[in-house]
Amino acid sequence: MAKAPAHAFASTLKTFKTASGKSGKYWSLKELAKQYPSVERLPVSIRIVLESVLRNCDGQKVSAKHVEELAHWAPNAERTDEIPFVVTRVVLQDFTGVPLLADLAAMRSVAAKLNKSPKTIEPLVPVDLVVDHSVMVDYYGTPKALDLNMKLEFQRNNERYQFMKWGMQAFDTFGVVPPGFGIVHQVNLEYFARGVYKSPADKSDTPVYYPDSLVGTDSHTTMINGIGVVGWGVGGIEAEAAMLGQPVYMLTPDVVGFELTGKLREGVTATDLVLYVTSILRAEKVVGKFVEFFGPGAASIAVPDRATIGNMAPEYGATMGFFPIDEMTVAYFEGTGRTKEEVERFAAYYKAQGLFGMPAPGDIDYTKVVKLDLGTVSPSLAGPKRPQDRINLGDLSTKFAELYSKPNDANGFNQPADKLKQRYALTREGQSGDTEVPPPPPGSPRPVIEMVANRSTKAAAHTSATAPSAPKGDVTIGNGDVLIAAITSCTNTSNPSVMLAAGILAKKAVEAGLKVQPHIKTSLAPGSRIVTEYLEKAGLLPYLEKLGFYLAGYGCTTCIGNAGDLTPEINEAITKNDLIGAAVLSGNRNFEARIHPNLKANFLASPPLVVAFAIAGNVMTDLMTQPVGKGKGGKDVYLGDIWPTPKEIDDNLRFAMNAKSFRANYEKVKSDPGKFWTSIKGTTGQVYDWPTSTYIAEPPFFEGFQMQPHASDAGIQGARVMALFGDSITTDHISPAGSIKESSPAGIWLKAHGVPKADFNSYGSRRGNHDVMVRGTFANVRIKNLMIPPDANGTQEEGGVTLFQPGGEKMFIYDAAMKYMEAGTPTIVFGGEEYGTGSSRDWAAKGTQLLGIKAVVARSFERIHRANLVGMGVLPLQFRGADSWQTLGLTGEEKIDVVIGGELKPQMDVKLVVHRADGTHQEVTVRLRIDTPIEVDYYKHGGILPFVLRQLLAA
Ligand code: SF4
């Protein structure tokens, strides 16, 4: 047997000792710094990535040159080096995790067909999936809400959960945290993250230890950066490659240092701080960069607050928002139930590496330094349409009034100013509380009654001086009315200081005699059961409940758009009168139609402010100067009367850090996963048998799979144009996550397969079924294919349609794609700037491939979507200079060739030849956006998945 080559940096393998005298080995960065002195001044996050490159340097996937290049990272160098980053583990949420599991199951089916052991396909690193995205707030405002919502969740998702149970028994390193435990990023903080990990012992029986690091199939994976773990969100395709042993490849990033000084003032929350950080960093343009926090202010911030700041990295555009490890991180590990051995090893390892402690100004060379004095942060919200649009609490009222009549392109709502204060009566049914109705069938809007049964059925009059009073006994709604108030999202519900603040504010409000109007949809969706436990122990939960904030579910709920519907009466009043209704939520995203299709103004705020605005009832109530509401005896109660003091929060924090509680809670993942989950029957066996299901089906990505790839680098001939798009086509335009229209190709297919409209569920939940997803590709109701001529008024048709060529017959993109594929005609999509921006959604690339689209030509691409296109074997091509499909004068009737002259190379120039209907032709040079050598290999193999499968089967 050939001897493995010696490690190029073998001398850097050293030994460290824990406080109890246990020893372990580690790849020493201090030792490496003897060869490359600049290592000692590298950003901490870069050094952690460097450790992975050093440890995995095998001369094949990771070479000595990779180590050298990263060790020479310079703050302002041109970024051309590619880093192969081998991560320690992978986390998934259920919307993205199910299709990924389906791909793994399909690979096993291929292995079995080729008479190979199915066990060849096995994740090489631990993979944990948390089921958090599926629960909806169908019920609220009742003590039964949690149970009823979970019942519906299990009815709707039974087939998906059966499939997960198959995965749990089929794969050795694949674990599932069932519904009802919490949100993936909080569970990641509290449970999955174990500090440092170890590889099997060497001959001397001393294991090698290394830092935790991960990728997750959710953009807010960056929350883990708060405890010093390097990790970020990737598309499902990249995550699959990572779990099957491929490094995550990326260009060396810039690292922006964010120096924090001073202290937060009394009354200012972590949510206020993160909204400041987001607006500052958006302006600094940190897209694709690492951000690393340092300085005395960073050292003073509690670990949950650091996690809140890390969480919103996608909102400020950074790859990560990283906090180095220090004594506070170690205390967090202790308080959340990690074992003594784990905690000791964690601290000793980072000390040995010279990576322990918050860096001071001047310690590290950053690409750029941004500064914030924490003392300047004030109470804020963000909105009404984007998370980076921060508004001081005291300015919200005037800001809303101003935006009400501003044009849409100025971020406004384009309404006549004189309508601002008008109010509209709801029908009597909208406020009735005395009729019994049965629970809704799956998929239907939730009933009016259940939610209000435990709250005052009398509508409390508005007390705001701004918003006019409702006529006595009637419920009226008007512009700026808060119709959804949700304590939701991993960003905030993992943070005891803001969750306790919400509870304390609720207590003081109830004691002062304040109430929340019953038609406001109030919900409490903590990020884990620990939150409920400490709110209960602190005696605060009953007060939140009195104001309607009953537990609605442990999951994303309102944050992922699972707010459930509003009542028909409220929906009708909004749509009939063009009302600008508001949601106030403690979430991180508020793009239009994300929270509820009829609520146009969505404000992100801290949990206590969510409660305060639910009481006030309208965002035009200026909480800095006007009463929140009328209390006992008609007395005005102001925000200052009920806002928690720092001492009140501190006194209650002791309930939040109880190591025993954390351990007891997470032991239940295995010992007591809940009655609903236990009753799910999964199939068994190493290979999935693909029972008939409209949720899970064998994906077709490996049809006709052979060990040798077909040549796929010979260019494209005679392609038809599928679509001509404008700028900023998002992944949600390409592959929507929300509701499925009955008349759409996916809706028609579901009905033909016996699924009634009420059970359509969402595209997000049907990502395990390619038949639904391919029909949903480019099916967003708002997408505009500019091939379709505008109507006489100049209005552009919306929806996923195209003109089939030749002839120009109008039809759904899916139908045209099937006709082109039947005829063996390749197709191409043209786009503008930022093609594929938005969430990292691999179905946007998978669906493109399954529609037979061979290339996307755009003026620029979003990072993850470009990589996903290559990962699915679709060519991304970028126009140069001022070129665009408009300057080429394309109408969609042309035929297109893509000519690749010579061997495929990263970023090479290729020729686009446009053949027009009149027989003329035109050539233009475009840039191939296959960016790295490994991507060339992926493309030649038809994508990452066939590439990895061939490697595994050949091994
Ligand atoms: S709570 Fe919101 S941000 Fe967090 S994982 Fe869920 S959807 Fe994503």
Side-chain angles (χ1 to χ4, degrees), residues 134-141 145 149 152 156 444-446 451 484-488 521-525 550-553 555-559 561-566:
S134 296
V135 65
M136 296 178 91
V137 187
D138 290 286
Y139 293 90
Y140 74 98
N149 288 332
L152 275 180
R156 289 178 181 134
S444 66
R446 55 118 197 95
M451 295 68 78
I484 288 180
I487 302 177
T488 181
K521 192 163 192 177
T522 39
S523 59
L524 169 65
Y550 280 93
L551 210 53
C556 305
T557 63
T558 306
C559 183
N562 284 348
D565 208 353
L566 296 166

Side-chain angles (χ1 to χ4, degrees), residues 172-371:
D172 296 341
T173 54
F174 177 78
V176 176
V177 174
F181 274 89
I183 301 175
V184 58
H185 307 306
Q186 181 157 355
V187 176
N188 196 14
L189 278 177
E190 293 178 351
Y191 177 45
F192 296 149
R194 309 308 307 184
V196 288
Y197 288 69
K198 67 176 175 184
S199 53
D202 64 10
K203 278 187 213 131
S204 65
D205 271 351
T206 312
V208 176
Y209 289 92
Y210 51 91
D212 188 6
S213 64
L214 68 142
V215 287
T217 55
D218 189 280
S219 38
H220 296 96
T221 301
T222 50
M223 189 157 183
I224 204 71
N225 304 160
I227 56 168
V229 176
V230 167
W232 55 84
V234 293
I237 306 164
E238 274 179 280
E240 275 170 60
M243 70 176 68
L244 294 173
Q246 287 294 303
V248 174
Y249 289 92
M250 61 172 174
L251 282 181
T252 324
D254 284 351
V255 183
V256 174
F258 200 134
E259 183 183 347
L260 298 176
T261 56
K263 267 186 82 175
L264 289 179
R265 289 174 298 151
E266 187 176 330
V268 176
T269 65
T271 320
D272 302 321
L273 171 58
V274 74
L275 297 181
Y276 258 75
V277 168
T278 301
S279 71
I280 292 170
L281 287 175
R282 259 289 156 192
E284 287 292 336
K285 300 203 187 315
V286 294
V287 174
K289 301 176 184 177
F290 286 5
V291 171
E292 187 164 304
F293 295 88
F294 71 98
S300 75
I301 294 182
V303 170
D305 295 1
R306 298 176 188 179
T308 296
I309 294 169
N311 178 285
M312 282 187 77
E315 280 65 40
Y316 41 87
T319 304
M320 290 205 296
F322 181 84
F323 283 84
I325 287 156
D326 63 2
E327 294 293 355
M328 299 243 277
T329 328
V330 174
Y332 179 83
F333 267 65
E334 277 164 354
T336 50
R338 272 74 173 190
T339 64
K340 181 171 176 257
E341 199 184 344
E342 282 173 325
V343 175
E344 276 192 358
R345 204 158 53 211
F346 177 60
Y349 176 88
Y350 279 94
K351 283 178 184 165
Q353 285 286 33
L355 296 175
F356 193 87
M358 194 60 69
D363 285 355
I364 283 175
D365 297 325
Y366 294 109
T367 304
K368 181 177 185 181
V369 171
V370 178
K371 297 184 184 189

